[in-house]
Amino acid sequence: MSKYSTQFKLSVVQQYLTGEAGIKTITNQHGIEQAMFRRWVRSFRQHGESGLAPKYSHYNAAFKLSVLQHMWDNHLSQQETNAYFDIRSPTCLNQWSAQYDAGGMAALEPAPKGRKKSPMPIAENNTA
């Protein structure tokens, strides 16, 4: 669950965009980190109100590679790329890039969930 509601994010972003107050004033007034608030503003500008709503996404390897390729081809920053593709995690692209560098496309595949299955013990046949 998000610490801040979508309505709260929308109200403070609109307060900033209408020029009522600057970033420093708003973030100090509400106890918000400036970097996080800047992400909200970028996301709102790119995607509107839906960019401020909670999002729980799982991305496949092809999507991850296409995002990285778009970032590299267009010489975009990670923040610009996150805003463009509506990726909420600020560290996601850094992780994907490191994974791709270490193992190529296969390294971008999502890891299987849960514990690894241990091999079943072979039953001994005790015939006496």
Side-chain angles (χ1 to χ4, degrees):
M1 186 166 147
S2 179
K3 182 176 179 178
Y4 301 102
S5 72
T6 304
Q7 194 57 40
F8 172 77
K9 293 177 190 178
L10 181 61
S11 70
V12 294
V13 166
Q14 287 177 333
Q15 181 182 3
Y16 169 72
L17 293 176
T18 59
E20 289 179 41
I23 288 178
K24 199 171 193 178
T25 303
I26 292 171
T27 56
N28 287 341
Q29 183 181 11
H30 296 288
I32 305 167
E33 291 181 32
Q34 285 189 20
M36 181 172 56
F37 183 71
R38 290 178 200 278
R39 282 194 304 271
W40 293 353
V41 172
R42 273 193 303 271
S43 189
F44 179 79
R45 284 182 171 154
Q46 187 73 34
H47 303 284
E49 191 173 336
S50 67
L52 300 175
K55 179 180 175 190
Y56 305 99
S57 297
H58 299 282
Y59 305 108
N60 64 33
F63 176 77
K64 293 175 185 179
L65 183 59
S66 71
V67 169
L68 291 173
Q69 197 64 54
H70 181 83
M71 180 176 71
W72 298 329
D73 290 348
N74 295 289
H75 307 286
L76 299 174
S77 70
Q78 290 182 5
Q79 292 85 4
E80 291 169 323
T81 307
N82 279 342
Y84 183 81
F85 287 99
D86 197 21
I87 298 171
R88 307 290 170 86
S89 171
T91 60
C92 213
L93 293 177
N94 209 19
Q95 292 170 351
W96 295 352
S97 185
Q99 289 170 335
Y100 183 77
D101 290 343
M105 178 75 161
L108 295 175
E109 291 291 341
K113 301 283 185 197
R115 287 190 281 169
K116 292 181 180 178
K117 294 183 179 181
S118 59
M120 295 292 286
I122 299 173
E124 293 183 26
N125 190 358
N126 291 337
T127 54

